[in-house]
Amino acid sequence: MKPSDIAALLLLGAIWGASFLFMRMGADEFGGMALADMRAIGAAVCSIPLLTRPRLAEMRTHWRDIAVIGLANSALPFVLFSYAAQSLPAGVSAISDAIAPLLVALSGWLWLGEKLSAMRASGLVIGLTGVVWLVAGTVGFGGGHRASGWAMAACVGANVCYTFGAHYSQRCLRGVTPLSVATGSQLAAAVMLLPFTVWLWPAKTPGLPAWLAALGLAALCTSLAYVLFYGLMVRIGAARSMAVLYLIPVFGVLWGLLFLREPVTLAMAGGCAVILLGVALTTGLLRGRMPAPAGGVAAERR
C-alpha cells in the first residue's frame, strides 16, 4: 500500500474508534434513542451531496432492501450502542465491536452451510474465549462497581444486527453501489427512529458538549468514515481495507484512556488481544490473505 493509503487506514480506524468516545460523551444527556436518531439524521444530511441521479435511481429501485439494512446496520445498532454507552466504558464497547467478524463466520457455518477450515474454527474458539474473558472481568448483571451486564448484552445485540445485515446485504444488494446503500440506510434509519425520538426526547435540553458529540458521530464517524472506507476499497481492495477492524478496538481504548481517563484493566487488555487473535485467524489475516467478511461487515457500522 502507498503511504497515503496507510495513513487513510489509520485515520479511519481512529475515527471509527472515536465513535465510542462520542457515544459515551453524549448518551447520558440525550439518552440512547435520541442520540442514535441525531446521529442518523445528521449523517443523512451530510450525505445529501452524495445523492447523484444514478444513486437516487438505485435507492428507489431497492428501497425495501435498503430499508432493512437501515434497520439492521444503523437504527438498531446505533440505539443499542448508545444505550450501552450510558454505563459501559468506551474502551470496552470498542473491544466488543471486534466480535462482528466472528459472528459472521459462526452464523455462516451454522445456518448458511459455509465451510470452516481448521484455522478458522480455531480462530472462532479463541475469539469467543476472549469475549468470555472480557465479559467475566469487566461487567456484571448486579450492582456495585462493575458496568452493567445488560450494556454488554446490548453491544453483543448490536453485533448480531451487523451480522444479519452483512448476510442480507450479500444476498439481496449484491451489485448495488455501496454508497447508495450507505446513504439510503441512514435516511431509512433516521425516519424509523424519529417517532421514538420525539416520544423519548430528554426533558432537559442536552448541553453543548453532548451536541458536539452527536455532531462528531454523524459527520465524522458516519458520513466521512463512509467516504474514506469506500475510497480505500477502490484503491486497495476490500480485503486490505478490512484491516481497519483491528485498529478500531485499539483506538477506542486509547481515546477512552486519553479523554475520559478510563483505566485499561487486565481483562480489557487480555480480552482485546485474544479477540483480535481469534479474528485474525478467522478472517485469514495470519495466512497472508484476508477475505472481506460477508457483505463488508465494516462498511455499514459504528
Side-chain angles (χ1 to χ4, degrees), residues 7 69 84 144 217 233 254 286:
I69 294 300
L217 280 170
M233 288 185 68
L254 177 62
L286 294 184

Side-chain angles (χ1 to χ4, degrees), residues 59 66 69 169 173 176-186 300:
M59 289 165 58
I66 289 176
I69 294 300
S169 180
L173 289 169
V176 180
T177 305
L179 276 175
S180 298
V181 179
T183 304
S185 65
Q186 295 308 312
E300 306 291 339

Side-chain angles (χ1 to χ4, degrees), residues 15-16 22 73 83-84 88 101 108 134 139 141 153 160 199 238 276 294:
I15 289 174
W16 266 337
F22 291 141
N73 279 2
Y83 162 77
L88 206 62
L134 177 67
V139 304
F141 287 87
V160 170
W199 178 35
L276 291 182

Side-chain angles (χ1 to χ4, degrees), residues 82-110:
S82 295
Y83 162 77
Q86 295 178 74
S87 61
L88 206 62
V92 175
S93 295
I95 294 170
S96 72
D97 192 50
I99 68 174
L102 300 175
L103 294 179
V104 170
L106 181 62
S107 60
W109 173 61
L110 288 176

Side-chain angles (χ1 to χ4, degrees), residues 202-277:
K204 182 180 178 181
T205 302
L208 180 60
W211 279 105
L212 291 175
L215 178 62
L217 280 170
L220 294 178
C221 303
T222 309
S223 294
L224 177 60
Y226 285 155
V227 174
L228 286 173
F229 181 74
Y230 292 123
L232 277 170
M233 288 185 68
V234 170
R235 294 194 302 274
I236 66 176
R240 288 182 176 178
S241 299
M242 289 302 154
V244 73
L245 295 174
Y246 304 91
L247 300 174
I248 294 168
V250 176
F251 278 107
V253 172
L254 177 62
W255 300 147
L257 173 66
L258 292 179
F259 294 103
L260 301 178
R261 299 292 188 268
E262 293 180 352
V264 179
T265 64
L266 177 61
M268 289 175 61
C272 182
V274 174
I275 290 170
L276 291 182
L277 173 60

